mmCIF file of all heavy atoms in Angstrom:
data_model
loop_
_atom_site.group_PDB
_atom_site.id
_atom_site.type_symbol
_atom_site.label_atom_id
_atom_site.label_comp_id
_atom_site.label_asym_id
_atom_site.label_seq_id
_atom_site.Cartn_x
_atom_site.Cartn_y
_atom_site.Cartn_z
ATOM 1 N N ALA A 161 -4.445 8.500 15.020
ATOM 2 C CA ALA A 161 -3.593 9.728 15.192
ATOM 3 C C ALA A 161 -2.470 9.626 14.169
ATOM 4 O O ALA A 161 -2.164 10.639 13.565
ATOM 5 C CB ALA A 161 -3.054 9.636 16.521
ATOM 6 N N VAL A 162 -1.788 8.515 14.051
ATOM 7 C CA VAL A 162 -0.623 8.368 13.075
ATOM 8 C C VAL A 162 -1.228 8.592 11.618
ATOM 9 O O VAL A 162 -0.551 9.185 10.693
ATOM 10 C CB VAL A 162 0.099 6.991 13.212
ATOM 11 C CG1 VAL A 162 1.011 6.790 12.175
ATOM 12 C CG2 VAL A 162 0.689 6.910 14.616
ATOM 13 N N ALA A 163 -2.391 8.012 11.320
ATOM 14 C CA ALA A 163 -2.977 8.131 9.984
ATOM 15 C C ALA A 163 -3.280 9.600 9.673
ATOM 16 O O ALA A 163 -2.998 10.071 8.580
ATOM 17 C CB ALA A 163 -4.269 7.370 9.856
ATOM 18 N N LEU A 164 -3.703 10.372 10.726
ATOM 19 C CA LEU A 164 -4.057 11.846 10.573
ATOM 20 C C LEU A 164 -2.704 12.540 10.218
ATOM 21 O O LEU A 164 -2.658 13.430 9.330
ATOM 22 C CB LEU A 164 -4.626 12.478 11.792
ATOM 23 C CG LEU A 164 -6.204 12.469 11.753
ATOM 24 C CD1 LEU A 164 -6.627 13.084 13.118
ATOM 25 C CD2 LEU A 164 -6.703 13.313 10.623
ATOM 26 N N ALA A 165 -1.558 12.290 11.043
ATOM 27 C CA ALA A 165 -0.340 12.999 10.786
ATOM 28 C C ALA A 165 0.186 12.626 9.326
ATOM 29 O O ALA A 165 0.663 13.528 8.673
ATOM 30 C CB ALA A 165 0.695 12.476 11.827
ATOM 31 N N ALA A 166 0.044 11.364 8.995
ATOM 32 C CA ALA A 166 0.478 11.073 7.587
ATOM 33 C C ALA A 166 -0.209 11.729 6.598
ATOM 34 O O ALA A 166 0.209 12.206 5.562
ATOM 35 C CB ALA A 166 0.476 9.551 7.365
ATOM 36 N N CYS A 167 -1.568 11.853 6.772
ATOM 37 C CA CYS A 167 -2.439 12.652 5.747
ATOM 38 C C CYS A 167 -2.035 14.128 5.668
ATOM 39 O O CYS A 167 -1.928 14.604 4.606
ATOM 40 C CB CYS A 167 -3.925 12.677 6.209
ATOM 41 S SG CYS A 167 -4.593 11.027 5.879
ATOM 42 N N GLY A 168 -1.562 14.703 6.839
ATOM 43 C CA GLY A 168 -1.105 16.049 6.678
ATOM 44 C C GLY A 168 0.151 16.255 5.897
ATOM 45 O O GLY A 168 0.287 17.083 5.069
ATOM 46 N N VAL A 169 1.081 15.197 6.005
ATOM 47 C CA VAL A 169 2.333 15.255 5.107
ATOM 48 C C VAL A 169 1.999 15.028 3.768
ATOM 49 O O VAL A 169 2.512 15.656 2.826
ATOM 50 C CB VAL A 169 3.387 14.150 5.707
ATOM 51 C CG1 VAL A 169 4.518 14.119 4.732
ATOM 52 C CG2 VAL A 169 3.875 14.627 7.173
ATOM 53 N N PHE A 170 1.109 14.018 3.566
ATOM 54 C CA PHE A 170 0.790 13.709 2.116
ATOM 55 C C PHE A 170 0.129 14.866 1.382
ATOM 56 O O PHE A 170 0.178 15.034 0.229
ATOM 57 C CB PHE A 170 -0.016 12.363 2.046
ATOM 58 C CG PHE A 170 0.869 11.185 2.159
ATOM 59 C CD1 PHE A 170 0.413 10.132 3.236
ATOM 60 C CD2 PHE A 170 2.032 10.957 1.514
ATOM 61 C CE1 PHE A 170 1.223 8.994 3.410
ATOM 62 C CE2 PHE A 170 2.922 9.697 1.751
ATOM 63 C CZ PHE A 170 2.511 8.838 2.721
ATOM 64 N N ILE A 171 -0.786 15.438 2.078
ATOM 65 C CA ILE A 171 -1.494 16.535 1.386
ATOM 66 C C ILE A 171 -0.707 17.785 1.031
ATOM 67 O O ILE A 171 -0.694 18.297 0.113
ATOM 68 C CB ILE A 171 -2.717 16.964 2.444
ATOM 69 C CG1 ILE A 171 -3.872 15.963 2.533
ATOM 70 C CG2 ILE A 171 -3.262 18.419 1.996
ATOM 71 C CD1 ILE A 171 -4.977 16.276 3.445
ATOM 72 N N GLN A 172 0.365 17.982 2.002
ATOM 73 C CA GLN A 172 1.325 19.022 1.538
ATOM 74 C C GLN A 172 2.132 18.584 0.372
ATOM 75 O O GLN A 172 2.328 19.424 -0.378
ATOM 76 C CB GLN A 172 2.309 19.226 2.824
ATOM 77 C CG GLN A 172 3.405 20.275 2.600
ATOM 78 C CD GLN A 172 4.142 20.670 3.733
ATOM 79 O OE1 GLN A 172 3.772 20.345 4.860
ATOM 80 N NE2 GLN A 172 5.250 21.397 3.557
ATOM 81 N N LEU A 173 2.470 17.204 0.237
ATOM 82 C CA LEU A 173 3.030 16.773 -0.886
ATOM 83 C C LEU A 173 2.308 16.831 -2.274
ATOM 84 O O LEU A 173 2.666 17.398 -3.157
ATOM 85 C CB LEU A 173 3.572 15.419 -0.709
ATOM 86 C CG LEU A 173 4.309 14.697 -1.923
ATOM 87 C CD1 LEU A 173 5.463 15.459 -2.357
ATOM 88 C CD2 LEU A 173 4.578 13.356 -1.554
ATOM 89 N N TRP A 174 0.929 16.453 -1.982
ATOM 90 C CA TRP A 174 0.158 16.396 -3.246
ATOM 91 C C TRP A 174 -0.293 17.806 -3.598
ATOM 92 O O TRP A 174 -0.438 18.091 -4.769
ATOM 93 C CB TRP A 174 -0.991 15.448 -2.911
ATOM 94 C CG TRP A 174 -2.102 15.442 -3.973
ATOM 95 C CD1 TRP A 174 -1.891 15.073 -5.203
ATOM 96 C CD2 TRP A 174 -3.418 15.897 -3.820
ATOM 97 N NE1 TRP A 174 -3.246 15.234 -5.938
ATOM 98 C CE2 TRP A 174 -4.095 15.688 -4.939
ATOM 99 C CE3 TRP A 174 -4.132 16.479 -2.628
ATOM 100 C CZ2 TRP A 174 -5.371 16.171 -5.138
ATOM 101 C CZ3 TRP A 174 -5.487 16.714 -2.879
ATOM 102 C CH2 TRP A 174 -6.146 16.545 -4.075
ATOM 103 N N ARG A 175 -0.855 18.514 -2.664
ATOM 104 C CA ARG A 175 -1.448 19.824 -2.932
ATOM 105 C C ARG A 175 -0.590 20.940 -3.234
ATOM 106 O O ARG A 175 -0.763 21.781 -4.026
ATOM 107 C CB ARG A 175 -2.460 20.208 -1.734
ATOM 108 C CG ARG A 175 -3.336 21.413 -1.961
ATOM 109 C CD ARG A 175 -4.313 21.213 -3.153
ATOM 110 N NE ARG A 175 -5.013 22.564 -3.248
ATOM 111 C CZ ARG A 175 -4.662 23.587 -3.886
ATOM 112 N NH1 ARG A 175 -3.580 23.635 -4.567
ATOM 113 N NH2 ARG A 175 -5.459 24.608 -4.061
ATOM 114 N N PHE A 176 0.578 20.925 -2.440
ATOM 115 C CA PHE A 176 1.474 22.121 -2.507
ATOM 116 C C PHE A 176 2.869 21.701 -3.146
ATOM 117 O O PHE A 176 3.632 22.611 -3.253
ATOM 118 C CB PHE A 176 1.563 22.728 -1.101
ATOM 119 C CG PHE A 176 0.248 23.210 -0.618
ATOM 120 C CD1 PHE A 176 -0.288 22.384 0.378
ATOM 121 C CD2 PHE A 176 -0.302 24.392 -0.912
ATOM 122 C CE1 PHE A 176 -1.578 22.894 0.952
ATOM 123 C CE2 PHE A 176 -1.364 24.878 -0.318
ATOM 124 C CZ PHE A 176 -2.051 23.999 0.554
ATOM 125 N N GLY A 177 3.037 20.344 -3.342
ATOM 126 C CA GLY A 177 4.275 20.048 -4.029
ATOM 127 C C GLY A 177 5.442 20.216 -3.177
ATOM 128 O O GLY A 177 6.525 20.274 -3.850
ATOM 129 N N SER A 178 5.413 19.991 -1.909
ATOM 130 C CA SER A 178 6.514 20.149 -0.952
ATOM 131 C C SER A 178 6.462 19.220 0.104
ATOM 132 O O SER A 178 5.415 18.686 0.470
ATOM 133 C CB SER A 178 6.610 21.639 -0.403
ATOM 134 O OG SER A 178 5.450 21.902 0.482
ATOM 135 N N VAL A 179 7.633 18.909 0.573
ATOM 136 C CA VAL A 179 7.709 17.911 1.566
ATOM 137 C C VAL A 179 8.393 18.590 2.826
ATOM 138 O O VAL A 179 9.433 19.165 2.639
ATOM 139 C CB VAL A 179 8.447 16.663 1.266
ATOM 140 C CG1 VAL A 179 8.763 15.667 2.447
ATOM 141 C CG2 VAL A 179 7.906 15.931 0.065
ATOM 142 N N PRO A 180 7.852 18.492 4.055
ATOM 143 C CA PRO A 180 8.558 19.092 5.245
ATOM 144 C C PRO A 180 9.879 18.241 5.575
ATOM 145 O O PRO A 180 9.840 17.712 6.640
ATOM 146 C CB PRO A 180 7.405 19.104 6.249
ATOM 147 C CG PRO A 180 6.647 17.951 5.937
ATOM 148 C CD PRO A 180 6.762 17.726 4.470
ATOM 149 N N TRP A 181 10.880 18.409 4.719
ATOM 150 C CA TRP A 181 12.016 17.623 5.013
ATOM 151 C C TRP A 181 12.691 18.043 6.379
ATOM 152 O O TRP A 181 13.174 17.022 6.993
ATOM 153 C CB TRP A 181 13.044 17.829 3.816
ATOM 154 C CG TRP A 181 12.585 17.312 2.518
ATOM 155 C CD1 TRP A 181 12.408 18.054 1.393
ATOM 156 C CD2 TRP A 181 12.386 15.886 2.229
ATOM 157 N NE1 TRP A 181 12.022 17.161 0.396
ATOM 158 C CE2 TRP A 181 11.985 15.864 0.754
ATOM 159 C CE3 TRP A 181 12.500 14.765 2.894
ATOM 160 C CZ2 TRP A 181 11.723 14.718 0.189
ATOM 161 C CZ3 TRP A 181 12.202 13.565 2.244
ATOM 162 C CH2 TRP A 181 11.848 13.555 0.936
ATOM 163 N N ILE A 182 12.746 19.206 6.675
ATOM 164 C CA ILE A 182 13.416 19.564 7.978
ATOM 165 C C ILE A 182 12.583 18.879 9.122
ATOM 166 O O ILE A 182 13.148 18.430 10.008
ATOM 167 C CB ILE A 182 13.390 21.103 8.120
ATOM 168 C CG1 ILE A 182 14.308 21.688 7.059
ATOM 169 C CG2 ILE A 182 13.887 21.528 9.424
ATOM 170 C CD1 ILE A 182 14.407 23.173 6.982
ATOM 171 N N SER A 183 11.306 19.050 9.104
ATOM 172 C CA SER A 183 10.502 18.531 10.159
ATOM 173 C C SER A 183 10.626 17.014 10.287
ATOM 174 O O SER A 183 10.847 16.478 11.340
ATOM 175 C CB SER A 183 9.031 18.773 9.863
ATOM 176 O OG SER A 183 8.771 20.165 9.734
ATOM 177 N N LEU A 184 10.623 16.317 9.073
ATOM 178 C CA LEU A 184 10.794 14.853 9.110
ATOM 179 C C LEU A 184 12.041 14.407 9.557
ATOM 180 O O LEU A 184 12.295 13.501 10.301
ATOM 181 C CB LEU A 184 10.409 14.390 7.699
ATOM 182 C CG LEU A 184 8.844 14.453 7.293
ATOM 183 C CD1 LEU A 184 8.782 13.999 5.799
ATOM 184 C CD2 LEU A 184 7.994 13.770 8.270
ATOM 185 N N GLY A 185 13.089 15.235 9.096
ATOM 186 C CA GLY A 185 14.516 14.862 9.582
ATOM 187 C C GLY A 185 14.654 15.158 10.970
ATOM 188 O O GLY A 185 15.263 14.150 11.639
ATOM 189 N N LEU A 186 14.202 16.167 11.543
ATOM 190 C CA LEU A 186 14.366 16.356 13.055
ATOM 191 C C LEU A 186 13.601 15.153 13.842
ATOM 192 O O LEU A 186 14.137 14.649 14.828
ATOM 193 C CB LEU A 186 13.850 17.566 13.417
ATOM 194 C CG LEU A 186 14.637 18.743 13.002
ATOM 195 C CD1 LEU A 186 13.947 20.167 13.276
ATOM 196 C CD2 LEU A 186 15.986 18.806 13.742
ATOM 197 N N ALA A 187 12.360 14.838 13.404
ATOM 198 C CA ALA A 187 11.525 13.894 14.126
ATOM 199 C C ALA A 187 12.156 12.532 13.936
ATOM 200 O O ALA A 187 12.235 11.849 14.964
ATOM 201 C CB ALA A 187 10.144 13.766 13.537
ATOM 202 N N LEU A 188 12.573 12.100 12.776
ATOM 203 C CA LEU A 188 13.147 10.805 12.527
ATOM 204 C C LEU A 188 14.559 10.556 13.264
ATOM 205 O O LEU A 188 14.690 9.569 13.879
ATOM 206 C CB LEU A 188 13.211 10.422 11.076
ATOM 207 C CG LEU A 188 12.003 10.289 10.380
ATOM 208 C CD1 LEU A 188 12.190 10.234 8.849
ATOM 209 C CD2 LEU A 188 11.393 8.944 10.778
ATOM 210 N N SER A 189 15.310 11.660 13.158
ATOM 211 C CA SER A 189 16.645 11.528 13.936
ATOM 212 C C SER A 189 16.563 11.445 15.356
ATOM 213 O O SER A 189 17.118 10.542 16.013
ATOM 214 C CB SER A 189 17.613 12.696 13.415
ATOM 215 O OG SER A 189 17.093 13.971 13.765
ATOM 216 N N PHE A 190 15.534 12.323 15.923
ATOM 217 C CA PHE A 190 15.421 12.230 17.399
ATOM 218 C C PHE A 190 14.845 10.883 17.787
ATOM 219 O O PHE A 190 15.209 10.401 19.020
ATOM 220 C CB PHE A 190 14.730 13.473 17.770
ATOM 221 C CG PHE A 190 14.891 13.822 19.253
ATOM 222 C CD1 PHE A 190 16.062 14.299 19.781
ATOM 223 C CD2 PHE A 190 13.933 13.693 20.237
ATOM 224 C CE1 PHE A 190 16.327 14.577 21.113
ATOM 225 C CE2 PHE A 190 14.016 13.889 21.501
ATOM 226 C CZ PHE A 190 15.239 14.427 21.956
ATOM 227 N N SER A 191 13.904 10.473 17.059
ATOM 228 C CA SER A 191 13.183 9.166 17.388
ATOM 229 C C SER A 191 14.147 8.098 17.370
ATOM 230 O O SER A 191 14.198 7.133 18.183
ATOM 231 C CB SER A 191 12.074 8.919 16.495
ATOM 232 O OG SER A 191 11.037 9.856 16.754
ATOM 233 N N CYS A 192 14.958 7.973 16.295
ATOM 234 C CA CYS A 192 16.039 6.909 16.155
ATOM 235 C C CYS A 192 17.056 6.925 17.425
ATOM 236 O O CYS A 192 17.382 5.986 17.985
ATOM 237 C CB CYS A 192 16.789 7.104 14.841
ATOM 238 S SG CYS A 192 15.891 6.464 13.514
ATOM 239 N N TYR A 193 17.338 8.178 17.702
ATOM 240 C CA TYR A 193 18.355 8.368 18.866
ATOM 241 C C TYR A 193 17.636 7.841 20.099
ATOM 242 O O TYR A 193 18.265 7.110 20.913
ATOM 243 C CB TYR A 193 18.576 9.938 18.996
ATOM 244 C CG TYR A 193 19.257 10.296 20.200
ATOM 245 C CD1 TYR A 193 20.697 9.972 20.346
ATOM 246 C CD2 TYR A 193 18.692 10.864 21.389
ATOM 247 C CE1 TYR A 193 21.419 10.293 21.546
ATOM 248 C CE2 TYR A 193 19.390 11.218 22.579
ATOM 249 C CZ TYR A 193 20.731 10.844 22.551
ATOM 250 O OH TYR A 193 21.458 11.173 23.708
#
Side-chain angles (χ1 to χ4, degrees):
V162 172
L164 266 180
C167 282
V169 174
F170 285 129
I171 286 175
Q172 181 171 343
L173 174 62
W174 170 66
R175 181 68 179 82
F176 300 98
S178 62
V179 176
W181 293 114
I182 294 171
S183 306
L184 293 175
L186 289 171
L188 288 169
S189 60
F190 201 67
S191 292
C192 289
Y193 173 76

